[in-house]
Amino acid sequence: MAAIFEQSGPFDEDSILVERFVAGDKEAFETLYRKYYAKVFSLSRGVLLDSDEAADITQEIFTLVFRNLPRFNRSSKFSTWLFRVAINRSIQEGRKRRFKNKPLELTEVLEQPAPETKQEQSDPTVQATMAQLAPQDRAILTLFYWQELSLNEIADSMSINLNAAKTRLYRARERFRVIYEVEDKKL
Amino acid sequence: MKSIPVEIDELMWGIAEAGDLDAIRQFESRHPDYKYELNRRVKSVEALRKEGKSFSKEIPIFKTTEVRPPNFRPVFIGAGAICLLLLIPALWVAFSNRTPAPQPAPQIVVLPNPNLSPSESKPEQTQVQPQPIQQTNPVDPNQVAQNPPVNSSPPPVAEPTEKRTSMKLSGASLHSAIQLIAEAGGFRITIAPELHNPDVSIDYQDKTVMEMLRELGQEYAFTVLADGEKELIALPLKDQEPTEP
């Protein structure tokens, strides 16, 4: 059975879970959720650069997937479709945040309760660098370096062709490197 | 600083992403000029990868019970009710336009002419017999002619002409006098062409239009019939010369 699950194609594990869910088995979706939550959260966080917002968006993404999974046409892998939904939703939210966010006044900062200490230890240089990139650049870097997807998978997930994926990745990592070096010198 | 060739740049990124120390050493020995550039790429790739592994999130419970497919039934019911509400008046308007509105039955008003005997005022002696009036009015014309409704209730068409007025004309033709009197009461009158048209002089004081027409008809041997609400027809009572006033 394991051999069957390992192969990609219409009979991979994800496809079976999708079929079970469409047939009414809600636990099948729970399995998919547990399997992909970390990846989707990581992707959203890479685009949004905020863990809380990423957690909210991740829930929203899975809600969208839950609602629309019966309409999933199985022309691509479930994971590709899921990442496509996640990327689009995260980039959409990232663009919204760009216009929504404004610098906080000092009084506002003082009035706010102290933020909870996060267990994660982000590299401030990387964070500062990522914050200066466009959401699309952050998305492709996240998919490639964090999710470790192949260029073909990235192309499928971003609904672009392979050459476009290569070009976008090349430009994104060059931008990242240039800004990273500047930020690294600052700190 | 000279630009890095694309193939060298791609090779450096490839080596940086692979993270193979042997490959790094080999590259540095072959391309010592790009050692610094390779290190920059290695450093940025390592930083990116490390950042990707730096956080982990506990998986929250997915509340599938909160997610329900949208329920369109109330929307459909509401839309149907609105359509029905719009359809009813539309149908009503359409049907009310198609079926002609019931018009008031044309009424025959025979103005009595006491100077004439009943035999003289028989309808067969008149040349104009308006068909619609005969169709809609069940009253037998012979009976009407034989029993002129002198004492009957006032004709309904006389109601708008209840307003009393005065009119004085001298040397006017009969037709124009009839026309003027009728117009004073707000009527359109059709005068039969066979009605003679002598010059007349009238002087009516404080009379209704119908009274004027009746008196004039008595003098010049014509009668006035109502044809609809605001339409009158002036007909000669017989084919003869008018009596001298």
Side-chain angles (χ1 to χ4, degrees):
Chain A
M1 282 300 284
I4 293 171
F5 288 152
E6 276 167 17
Q7 66 179 335
S8 62
F11 298 108
D12 62 0
E13 186 187 5
D14 291 352
S15 297
I16 292 165
L17 289 169
V18 169
E19 291 298 334
R20 277 174 50 197
F21 170 70
V22 172
D25 182 0
K26 297 286 186 282
E27 280 183 17
F29 188 82
E30 284 284 338
T31 309
L32 287 169
Y33 173 76
R34 281 195 300 274
K35 183 178 177 182
Y36 286 104
Y37 180 86
K39 286 178 188 287
V40 172
F41 172 76
S42 167
L43 178 58
S44 301
R45 192 193 170 280
V47 177
L48 296 169
L49 303 172
D50 185 283
S51 293
D52 294 335
E53 283 193 32
D56 291 345
I57 289 297
T58 304
Q59 282 295 322
E60 208 177 294
I61 288 161
F62 276 103
T63 305
L64 278 172
V65 169
F66 183 83
R67 281 182 185 168
N68 293 293
L69 198 51
R71 280 180 264 167
F72 169 52
N73 60 11
R74 282 93 156 161
S75 62
S76 60
K77 286 164 68 179
F78 168 75
S79 58
T80 307
W81 180 69
L82 173 66
F83 286 143
R84 196 178 302 154
V85 174
I87 290 164
N88 290 338
R89 188 67 196 90
S90 301
I91 288 175
Q92 192 185 0
E93 192 63 25
R95 284 185 184 142
K96 226 188 279 178
R97 259 175 15 115
R98 255 187 173 181
F99 300 106
K100 214 192 297 180
N101 284 3
K102 61 179 178 69
L104 293 174
E105 298 292 331
L106 183 61
T107 49
E108 289 178 273
V109 176
L110 290 172
E111 283 166 9
Q112 286 176 351
E116 288 174 20
T117 313
K118 288 176 182 172
Q119 289 180 347
E120 62 197 62
Q121 290 180 343
S122 294
D123 182 349
T125 314
V126 175
Q127 287 291 306
T129 308
M130 291 287 264
Q132 292 175 59
L133 295 175
Q136 291 94 330
D137 286 346
R138 292 201 291 263
I140 202 162
L141 290 175
T142 306
L143 288 171
F144 190 75
Y145 290 106
W146 296 4
Q147 306 297 324
E148 297 179 340
L149 296 190
S150 69
L151 277 168
N152 273 319
E153 287 171 321
I154 290 172
D156 285 345
S157 299
M158 298 186 84
S159 306
I160 54 177
N161 63 39
L162 184 62
N163 284 331
K166 276 183 189 171
T167 309
R168 284 194 195 183
L169 176 65
Y170 180 80
R171 287 177 184 164
R173 66 189 173 191
E174 270 300 317
R175 287 189 198 111
F176 176 85
R177 185 181 60 79
V178 170
I179 299 168
Y180 179 78
E181 285 169 3
V182 173
E183 291 295 323
D184 198 30
K185 280 175 191 169
K186 281 184 193 173
L187 296 172
Chain B
M1 184 181 173
K2 72 176 180 183
S3 61
I4 302 165
V6 177
E7 62 274 12
I8 297 290
D9 196 28
E10 284 183 358
L11 184 61
M12 285 192 291
W13 278 114
I15 292 166
E17 281 154 8
D20 186 351
L21 290 174
D22 288 340
I24 291 170
R25 277 190 213 110
Q26 279 185 18
F27 180 85
E28 287 173 349
S29 63
R30 283 185 194 175
H31 305 282
D33 296 346
Y34 297 116
K35 186 180 174 184
Y36 176 66
E37 287 297 329
L38 177 63
N39 282 336
R40 290 167 73 184
R41 280 156 184 74
V42 169
K43 197 178 173 188
S44 65
V45 168
E46 279 176 356
L48 256 176
R49 287 218 170 118
K50 194 180 166 193
E51 180 67 12
K53 291 168 186 169
S54 67
F55 54 87
S56 59
K57 185 89 181 170
E58 281 183 17
I59 301 173
I61 297 164
F62 183 66
K63 297 168 187 171
T64 54
T65 50
E66 286 183 4
V67 184
R68 285 181 199 164
N71 187 5
F72 292 113
R73 190 174 291 173
V75 178
F76 286 137
I77 291 169
I82 290 167
C83 287
L84 201 64
L85 285 173
L86 293 173
L87 195 65
I88 289 167
L91 284 172
W92 185 80
V93 168
F95 277 101
S96 62
N97 286 340
R98 276 184 70 183
T99 53
Q103 294 183 352
Q107 296 159 330
I108 296 176
V109 179
V110 179
L111 300 176
N113 192 341
N115 290 344
L116 300 173
S117 63
S119 60
E120 284 177 324
S121 60
K122 278 182 181 176
E124 56 265 21
Q125 290 176 334
T126 61
Q127 292 183 348
V128 178
Q129 293 180 350
Q131 292 300 317
I133 294 173
Q134 288 179 352
Q135 284 175 354
T136 54
N137 196 334
V139 178
D140 183 9
N142 290 330
Q143 195 181 352
V144 171
Q146 285 168 5
N147 304 304
V150 178
N151 298 323
S152 64
S153 60
V157 288
E159 285 175 12
T161 62
E162 287 304 314
K163 195 176 81 174
R164 294 184 168 274
T165 184
S166 300
M167 190 169 286
K168 188 174 183 181
L169 292 170
S170 60
S173 67
L174 177 62
H175 286 196
S176 55
I178 294 168
Q179 200 79 41
L180 284 168
I181 294 167
E183 284 172 5
F187 289 106
R188 282 177 58 199
I189 190 160
T190 306
I191 300 167
E194 60 270 23
L195 180 64
H196 53 260
N197 192 18
D199 286 345
V200 296
S201 295
I202 58 171
D203 185 7
Y204 298 129
Q205 299 293 326
D206 194 31
K207 290 181 188 295
T208 66
V209 167
M210 297 311 286
E211 284 171 350
M212 290 180 197
L213 287 171
R214 195 180 298 128
E215 282 189 22
L216 200 61
Q218 286 170 2
E219 284 182 31
Y220 293 97
F222 71 88
T223 187
V224 175
L225 305 177
D227 183 17
E229 208 171 317
K230 286 284 181 182
E231 297 279 339
L232 298 174
I233 301 172
L235 300 172
L237 284 176
K238 59 178 184 177
D239 298 332
Q240 62 178 30
E241 288 297 315
T243 55
E244 288 298 322

